[in-house]
Amino acid sequence: MADPAGGPGAVAQPRFLLTKEPAPQTVPASDLPMKVYEVAMNTGTDSSSGLATAGFRAAKYLPTEWHLNNSELYHKAFAGCEQAERGRAEAKELAEYAAAAAQRAQQDSTAAVGERLQDIHFWKAELQRGIQDLDAETRLLAARKLRLERALDATEVPYAIVTDNLQCRERRQAPDLVSDEVERELLKEAELIRNIQELLKRTLMQASNQMRLNRDHKEFCEMDWSDKVETYNIDDKCGKYSNQSTNTQFHPSSVKFEESASTPDTWAKFSHDNIYRAEREKLASINLRALIDNILHDTSEDMRKQCAAVNEAFAKHCEELDDTKRKLEHHLKKILKEIGYQEANIAALKQAIKDKGAPMKVAQTRLYDRSFRPNVDLCRDEAQFRLIREVEELTESVNSLKKKLLESEQTLRNLEDTRMNLEKEIAVKTNSIFIDRQKCMAQRTRYPVVAKLAGYQ
């Protein structure tokens, strides 16, 4: 048989440790050859059966018996020495074998403990790396969560601005109280901010849950790592024990397997599963951080883009209001000038009508005086006909002038109404411009910048 610790030909040694010295080995008497001796009976004349010597030879042996007894003692001494010599050789061989076996067993156990220390160190290092990675990832995710909270807080100002803008524009006067492009953009902005706030709140909740999962799996890894550290210290202490150690003692009850003890496969699988779950949560956290970055970037860009659209709509509408107001003021100037002209025209018409009174008096007085002509001189001469035509012409002129006066007065009233409408409309446009430009656009200058909306500030 081959010796596990030496070359071929060595005696096979048991794979166990001896806890006490072996008992001395003896050769059973049955294994020794038996010598058969023929003992002569004491009969005859020299025997002790004689009556004369009965009192002297009753307790004595024969010489042959004495020699036989000595031979037996010699044989027993020789066999005892031979057996003792064999026992000593076997005991020496067994002691040497037991010492070598004990030394090899201790070396094997020390090597096994050393290999176990390497396994424990490997998993301890992997767990420590997983713990550090999860801790670093949790800190990064906490920073993203802080950005989300800042971004959510930053949306309050834009929402307050757009709400105030809509409320201010409700104070516009008719006919400027219309659902124009500015209002549509403001409503779109309010809806966008509400949707972004809901998205940020959901993302905040998701980040909080992921941080809790990270901490839970980090705690699992830390508990496993703590067990590995304690186990490593115990095995390292065990590996340093030697036969010269003074702090060793007998523990007979320790030579047993605990019912709750794990196997090497389940032991490695436990740490592997902890590391795998920690790595899985780390990857989920990394993906969530990337999602948060994209959400913050997109939401801030969308809000600023919508803010620019609203500002552009405000600017365009204010330009339209300014242009309309300028046109209204221009037409008001023309109306005012025309009113002046019309008032002068009415005064001229009244004066013309008044001026027709004297010619009418002259013509009618002439006709009246000529009606007193006597007898045949009361003639329908050309002068009579001309005076009559003159009165008729004057009457027709006065009627035309009065009609034109009425028309002019109605035109003046229409001009006055138009003037009032223009002045009212100009006041409405002035109010609308004040609301849109002085109230709304001035307040929109407080709109947060992209860095604040993205949670950096």
Side-chain angles (χ1 to χ4, degrees), residues 208-379:
S208 298
N209 292 335
Q210 186 61 52
M211 289 177 64
R212 179 180 55 80
L213 290 173
N214 288 354
R215 293 191 180 101
D216 290 344
H217 285 84
K218 178 192 170 190
E219 183 178 354
F220 295 152
C221 290
E222 286 175 341
M223 293 174 64
D224 194 4
W225 177 84
S226 178
D227 292 342
K228 293 292 184 294
V229 170
E230 185 175 357
T231 303
Y232 186 88
N233 293 334
I234 292 173
D235 283 354
D236 183 58
K237 178 182 178 183
C238 292
K240 293 178 180 178
Y241 283 139
S242 66
N243 295 333
Q244 289 74 34
S245 299
T246 58
N247 55 345
T248 58
Q249 56 184 341
F250 291 107
H251 296 281
S253 62
S254 64
V255 187
K256 63 179 181 179
F257 286 109
E258 298 290 341
E259 294 182 359
S260 61
S262 62
T263 64
D265 292 337
T266 58
W267 174 81
K269 186 177 184 301
F270 181 78
S271 296
H272 175 271
D273 291 344
N274 283 334
I275 294 173
Y276 172 76
R277 287 191 292 265
E279 186 69 19
R280 183 182 60 191
E281 296 304 327
K282 186 186 79 170
L283 291 177
S285 181
I286 291 174
N287 294 332
L288 181 58
R289 281 196 297 111
L291 177 64
I292 291 173
D293 289 337
N294 292 333
I295 287 175
L296 290 175
H297 176 269
D298 294 342
T299 53
S300 61
E301 290 293 332
D302 290 344
M303 289 179 65
R304 287 303 307 181
K305 187 181 298 183
Q306 184 60 30
C307 176
V310 173
N311 291 340
E312 183 179 356
F314 263 119
K316 183 178 179 180
H317 186 61
C318 287
E319 289 180 0
E320 292 177 353
L321 289 174
D322 287 336
D323 182 64
T324 302
K325 182 184 175 185
R326 284 194 299 270
K327 290 179 180 179
L328 290 173
E329 290 174 346
H330 175 69
H331 286 290
L332 179 60
K333 290 180 181 178
K334 292 176 65 176
I335 289 294
L336 290 174
K337 186 182 294 185
E338 190 62 32
I339 287 174
Y341 292 154
Q342 197 65 25
E343 289 175 346
N345 180 46
I346 291 172
L349 287 173
K350 288 180 178 180
Q351 185 63 40
I353 293 172
K354 184 179 179 180
D355 291 344
K356 295 301 181 291
M360 179 66 73
K361 289 178 182 180
V362 172
Q364 289 178 355
T365 301
R366 286 177 178 176
L367 287 173
Y368 178 76
D369 288 344
R370 295 190 80 225
S371 65
F372 290 101
R373 288 177 297 167
N375 301 319
V376 180
D377 286 336
L378 186 61
C379 179

Side-chain angles (χ1 to χ4, degrees), residues 360-423:
M360 179 66 73
K361 289 178 182 180
V362 172
Q364 289 178 355
T365 301
R366 286 177 178 176
L367 287 173
Y368 178 76
D369 288 344
R370 295 190 80 225
S371 65
F372 290 101
R373 288 177 297 167
N375 301 319
V376 180
D377 286 336
L378 186 61
C379 179
R380 297 178 180 176
D381 52 7
E382 185 63 25
Q384 186 71 20
F385 287 115
R386 186 70 188 90
L387 286 172
I388 292 173
R389 286 199 302 273
E390 181 182 6
V391 172
E392 291 176 353
E393 290 175 358
L394 288 172
T395 302
E396 184 179 356
S397 297
V398 170
N399 291 335
S400 298
L401 288 172
K402 287 182 178 181
K403 183 178 178 181
K404 180 57 68 177
L405 177 62
L406 291 175
E407 292 177 357
S408 299
E409 288 176 347
Q410 183 61 40
T411 301
L412 179 62
R413 286 193 293 271
N414 292 338
L415 289 173
E416 290 290 345
D417 292 340
T418 303
R419 178 185 65 81
M420 292 178 62
N421 291 333
L422 287 173
E423 289 177 347

Side-chain angles (χ1 to χ4, degrees), residues 412-453:
L412 179 62
R413 286 193 293 271
N414 292 338
L415 289 173
E416 290 290 345
D417 292 340
T418 303
R419 178 185 65 81
M420 292 178 62
N421 291 333
L422 287 173
E423 289 177 347
K424 181 180 178 181
E425 193 65 23
I426 289 171
V428 170
K429 294 297 182 290
T430 302
N431 179 66
S432 298
I433 291 172
F434 174 78
I435 290 174
D436 285 354
R437 179 170 290 158
Q438 303 300 326
K439 288 287 187 180
C440 297
M441 293 187 69
Q443 192 175 21
R444 294 187 68 82
T445 57
R446 297 173 46 238
Y447 208 94
V449 296
V450 175
K452 191 173 185 64
L453 293 174

Side-chain angles (χ1 to χ4, degrees), residues 137-170:
E137 181 58 35
T138 303
R139 287 197 299 270
L140 292 175
L141 186 58
R144 295 302 190 281
K145 182 173 177 288
L146 180 60
R147 283 184 58 194
L148 281 173
E149 293 171 349
R150 290 174 177 172
L152 182 60
D153 293 339
T155 58
E156 295 298 330
V157 174
Y159 191 71
I161 289 174
V162 68
T163 304
D164 186 74
N165 289 163
L166 289 170
Q167 291 175 351
C168 286
R169 298 190 94 243
E170 290 295 324

